[in-house]
Amino acid sequence: MINYKDLGLVNTKEMFKKAMDGGYAVPAYNFNNMEQIQAIITACVETQSPVILQVSSGARKYANQILLKYMAQGAAAMMREMAKEKNLKQIPIALHLDHGDTFELCKSCIESGFSSVMIDGSHHSYEENIALTKKVVDLAHKYDVTVEGELGVLAGIEDDVQAAKSIYTQPEEVIDFVTRTGVDSLAISIGTSHGANKFKPEQCTKNKDGVFVPPELRFDILEEIEKKLPGFSIVLHGSSSVPPEAVKIINSNGGALKDTVGIPEEQLRKAAKSAVCKVNIDSDGRLWMTAMIRKTFTEKPAEFDPRKYLGPAREALIDMYKHKNEHVLGSAEKV
Ligand code: G3H
Ligand code: 13P
Ligand code: ZN
């Protein structure tokens, strides 16, 4: 058993309290490899933002769970060195299991240094979701690990779990769910979805600048939930904005992505000022990384040094994470 405190990490309790009081959201960025974790830490130290490093079960398999734990420990050490060098404050870093689907997976993460876990029982019946979530909470809280639960189902692909349509969270259920499970935060479904294909252009209207705008998130549901659970931390999954610039670079360099529209940043700004304390972003990072790698190969087809194509990808990620912290989530300068 390794406790996350020995790895230089923190749980999400204090982060969320400050985010709630300060009217901003903490970024939760997924990572699978070294370049992504370097970019996240660099951007968050330089913008002085707290951060949640997020690992899906697929990422855990891909990166090797032992290596991953030490990568998070290394990230905390890199953060301390970087902060010292740049004369900046240290930032809080949480290591979070994204979409844990079994008790055993959550237990394994808790025992191997994660400071926070999500148990996603949203695909089970309501009572089964409560029973599973409570079981994880009971174990996690013994080690001061925080737990995120989920009520409602997001459309899109979540690793092995796929849902065709969203099922919005029912505000009538949230008090019962939170009280009976003891979760520290709750992921809700109000119209966001996973992956790069969130909305088709034909589902959108065009604004005066010719930009496609999808139907608004269900802020009415969010408000109802806030009324029922005042001061309780809410989490928004599926919050990538699918930047058209990145899609364009991918498609003009041999890619074949469909026309697609993400969650407008304006709506994320609004959500971040509410009880939403954590915003999950993965696909935007994947898109920028792919865009820069494709671009490099088009411009330099003879290139075969991974540093020469992963380097520019890492730079683009740093810019994107900084932009999210500074201009979307409001988490910059909050440490
Ligand atoms: O919500 C899903 C995350 O984007 C993780 O995706 O399961 O393919 O690693 P993944
Ligand atoms: P995106 O696919 O919109 O980036 O969502 C990521 C997510 O919710 C991870 O849990
Ligand atoms: Zn998610």
Side-chain angles (χ1 to χ4, degrees), residues 2 6 9 22 49 64 126-127 153 162 171-172 181 192 212-213 219 238 280 295 304-305 314 318:
I2 291 193
D6 299 328
L9 306 167
S49 167
N64 180 297
Y126 180 68
E127 286 301 327
V153 180
Q162 191 168 343
E172 311 79 67
T181 58
T192 61
F212 288 111
V213 181
F219 284 103
N280 286 13
K295 185 167 179 280
F304 70 101
D305 178 346
R314 187 174 60 191
I318 294 173

Side-chain angles (χ1 to χ4, degrees), residues 162-183:
Q162 191 168 343
K165 274 185 82 178
S166 301
I167 303 169
Y168 296 128
T169 306
Q170 295 176 34
E172 311 79 67
E173 290 180 344
V174 295
I175 297 179
D176 184 59
F177 185 85
V178 165
T179 320
R180 286 173 62 196
T181 58
V183 281

Side-chain angles (χ1 to χ4, degrees), residues 30-32 54-60 62 98-99 118 120 154 157-161 193-195 237-238 240 280-283 286:
N30 290 67
F31 79 98
N32 307 265
Q54 196 155 259
V55 174
S56 68
S57 62
R60 201 161 174 257
Y62 175 81
D98 190 26
H99 295 284
M118 173 185 194
D120 180 358
L154 270 71
I157 302 163
E158 295 174 2
D159 206 5
D160 300 329
V161 187
S193 56
H194 287 106
H237 282 245
S240 279
N280 286 13
I281 295 172
D282 185 1
S283 298
R286 295 178 179 196

Side-chain angles (χ1 to χ4, degrees), residues 6 11 18 25 46 51-52 86 102 108 130 149 153 198 206 208 216 219 226 228 237 255 270 272-273 280 321 334:
D6 299 328
N11 70 18
K18 285 176 81 177
E46 288 183 359
V51 69
I52 297 169
K86 295 177 187 279
T102 61
S108 167
I130 289 190
V153 180
K198 299 193 191 300
K206 253 189 187 177
K208 60 177 175 21
E216 209 179 54
F219 284 103
E226 284 181 298
K228 301 220 181 263
H237 282 245
K270 183 171 165 184
K273 290 195 179 92
N280 286 13
Y321 295 133
K334 295 293 193 303

Side-chain angles (χ1 to χ4, degrees), residues 199-215 241-242 244 259-265 267:
F199 300 98
K200 297 188 181 98
E202 50 274 26
Q203 293 174 287
C204 304
T205 50
K206 253 189 187 177
N207 73 9
K208 60 177 175 21
D209 304 317
V211 175
F212 288 111
V213 181
S241 296
V242 191
D259 274 343
T260 167
V261 179
I263 311 298
E265 291 185 341
Q267 293 188 36

